[in-house]
Amino acid sequence: DQQVKQNSPSLSVQEGRISILNCDYTNSMFDYFLWYKKYPAEGPTFLISISSIKDKNEDGRFTVFLNKSAKHLSLHIVPSQPGDSAVYFCAASVIGGSQGNLIFGKGTKLSVKP
Amino acid sequence: DVKVTQSSRYLVKRTGEKVFLECVQDMDHENMFWYRQDPGLGLRLIYFSYDVKMKEKGDIPEGYSVSREKKERFSLILESASTNQTSMYLCASSFLQGRQEKLFFGSGTQLSVL
């Protein structure tokens, strides 16, 4: 049973426009959420995170929104650039929980077209 | 910068062979992890370790074992490789920032079992 769901396997966006990647979770105990970005043949790299005490966290072109009542978070990239083309993984955990409890979604492949 | 180094980028092995995947981190992190990434399945945790000589099973430990004899090194062992173990293997280490765990990944090993 998937606790973290990324229902869109792929997303295609024009350069300069907004990319919105979505993530849903089922475990109400999750209180810390992260996004990782992965290029082909490379390991994932940390992008941005948010704890459940916030509903928004912004870092440059990247903003993560959290809607706890809907158990939904989204990553906004504005403006999108061709270099943003990668697979994006959403992950969730319980703060202070046991190690290794970071649960990943299946990923969304973003393609930003010039 | 945190560095997580995986010994091989690409490996080709035959069915039944014993395979060792090595991972070294240079940041004195307590926790280390092995994931595999498959298209459409995202990142799945195989094993993790929170201390030297300690190990915990992840979501898909069958067919794998691990070794952590030194803090900086975490090895994944495929006792008898099978074709369904063809995958991208990712090692990670982590530290707690406050009470929030952040993972740092290696570049991955693409293993093909023929």
Side-chain angles (χ1 to χ4, degrees):
Chain A
D1 187 27
Q2 271 186 274
Q3 297 187 67
V4 177
K5 300 178 185 179
Q6 294 178 257
N7 291 320
S8 298
S10 63
L11 175 68
S12 183
V13 171
Q14 205 67 33
E15 181 180 6
R17 307 292 288 266
I18 184 171
S19 295
I20 300 176
L21 294 92
N22 293 303
C23 180
D24 297 295
Y25 60 96
T26 57
N27 189 341
S28 57
M29 296 298 290
F30 288 147
D31 53 7
Y32 180 51
F33 305 89
L34 308 91
W35 285 94
Y36 281 82
K37 174 180 177 179
K38 185 182 183 300
Y39 292 118
E42 293 184 15
T45 55
F46 169 77
L47 190 58
I48 193 169
S49 64
I50 188 168
S51 70
S52 59
I53 60 173
K54 294 185 175 183
D55 54 20
K56 176 182 174 181
N57 188 24
E58 192 171 350
D59 183 1
R61 296 185 298 113
F62 302 92
T63 303
V64 56
F65 295 92
L66 176 62
N67 182 334
K68 290 186 287 294
S69 60
K71 295 192 181 71
H72 176 83
L73 65 155
S74 60
L75 175 68
H76 292 211
I77 307 173
V78 183
S80 301
Q81 299 173 354
D84 296 328
S85 297
V87 176
Y88 290 79
F89 291 99
C90 170
S93 72
V94 176
I95 292 179
S98 59
Q99 293 90 340
N101 72 340
L102 198 61
I103 308 296
F104 285 88
K106 293 184 176 181
T108 296
K109 184 176 181 180
L110 174 65
S111 299
V112 180
K113 299 184 189 299
Chain B
D1 273 355
V2 174
K3 190 143 189 197
V4 179
T5 303
Q6 294 183 231
S7 54
S8 305
R9 291 299 298 269
Y10 301 95
L11 271 180
V12 180
K13 297 291 181 181
R14 297 220 172 267
T15 302
E17 278 193 78
K18 190 168 186 176
V19 182
F20 293 87
L21 301 183
E22 304 288 346
C23 176
V24 177
Q25 51 98 1
D26 66 358
M27 284 303 291
D28 203 36
H29 286 172
E30 300 291 336
N31 305 325
M32 296 188 74
F33 307 82
W34 276 104
Y35 289 86
R36 63 179 281 180
Q37 183 204 357
D38 300 286
L41 296 177
L43 295 170
R44 294 183 292 167
L45 181 64
I46 304 171
Y47 267 98
F48 67 99
S49 168
Y50 53 88
D51 202 351
V52 174
K53 295 192 186 293
M54 305 301 285
K55 61 183 180 184
E56 293 285 343
K57 292 180 179 179
D59 299 320
I60 50 164
E62 295 79 20
Y64 304 95
S65 62
V66 290
S67 173
R68 185 122 181 247
E69 295 297 318
K70 293 184 178 180
K71 190 176 186 180
E72 67 271 19
R73 187 179 297 269
F74 192 35
S75 304
L76 180 69
I77 304 151
L78 285 68
E79 297 291 341
S80 177
S82 63
T83 55
N84 63 12
Q85 292 179 308
T86 291
S87 185
M88 166 70 86
Y89 288 88
L90 293 159
C91 175
S93 68
S94 77
F95 74 101
L96 286 174
Q97 191 172 40
R99 291 195 301 143
Q100 298 171 350
E101 187 169 28
K102 185 182 289 187
L103 265 63
F104 296 85
F105 285 88
S107 298
T109 297
Q110 181 63 54
L111 173 67
S112 297
V113 182
L114 306 178

